[in-house]
Amino acid sequence: MTTLKERLHADVVAHMKDRNKVALTTVRNVLGEIETREKSGKTPVELDDAQVTALLQKEAAKRRDTARIYTEAGESDRAGAEIAEAEVIEAYLPQPLSAAEVEAIVDEAIAALKADGVELSMRQMGTVMKPVTAKIAGRFDGKAVSEIVRTRLA
């Protein structure tokens, strides 16, 4: 299975062949951001898929925010360009989960911990959040997840 970074590199070639300028420029910018992140710091690091996904989420959010600012300023053509870039980036993100799916994952984690004999209260919120966060991994808002866990433990 290829990594997300490898997929981005392969898509640069595909976008060149398709002459898709918006997608090509966007993917190149994202790859540049990944390389900058990897080379910054005292020692170079290799970003894994989870870190690349987090970076992609930030980049897409940045584009959406910029589009909102352009829209408020009456620059609809620039806002459209930013939204197009955000959509290209979001195509690489995993499908978001619904609230019902997240609740099912939380309930499953709580049931597994109870089966192991763990006495659950608000003090064990971190114990519940750890496996839930691993399964959700950027596909749902973290604050909303913690609220769901909090209501289940209360």
Side-chain angles (χ1 to χ4, degrees):
M1 195 167 133
T2 61
T3 66
L4 190 52
K5 210 164 74 170
E6 290 169 345
R7 195 170 129 213
L8 286 165
H9 279 290
D11 284 353
V12 165
V13 175
H15 294 315
M16 273 189 223
K17 288 179 181 176
D18 296 342
R19 298 187 191 280
N20 187 343
K21 268 191 160 178
V22 173
L24 176 63
T25 306
T26 304
V27 172
R28 279 184 171 164
N29 288 340
V30 167
L31 282 169
E33 194 66 35
I34 291 169
E35 287 178 23
T36 301
R37 186 76 49 91
E38 287 179 337
K39 292 177 183 174
S40 66
K42 292 182 179 181
T43 57
V45 294
E46 184 79 20
L47 295 182
D48 62 9
D49 274 357
Q51 292 167 317
V52 172
T53 300
L55 188 135
L56 289 174
Q57 287 172 327
K58 286 180 185 170
E59 289 297 313
K62 202 186 305 181
R63 303 282 191 304
R64 293 263 179 214
D65 193 41
T66 304
R68 183 185 51 76
I69 292 168
Y70 280 143
T71 303
E72 291 170 1
E75 298 279 343
S76 60
D77 54 331
R78 287 177 141 181
E82 292 291 329
I83 289 172
E85 286 186 19
E87 288 171 352
V88 169
I89 294 169
E90 288 166 350
Y92 293 97
L93 295 173
Q95 289 292 77
L97 295 171
S98 68
E101 290 171 317
V102 172
E103 288 174 1
I105 291 170
V106 169
D107 291 340
E108 185 181 299
I110 289 174
L113 288 169
K114 283 183 178 176
D116 289 343
V118 177
E119 191 67 35
L120 294 175
S121 67
M122 286 303 288
R123 298 183 107 193
Q124 283 76 30
M125 185 165 169
T127 309
V128 176
M129 285 294 292
K130 192 171 184 177
V132 171
T133 306
K135 283 186 181 177
I136 291 173
R139 297 185 298 162
F140 200 78
D141 180 46
K143 285 185 180 178
V145 173
S146 65
E147 286 300 315
I148 292 170
V149 171
R150 200 171 270 122
T151 56
R152 294 289 198 272
L153 293 178

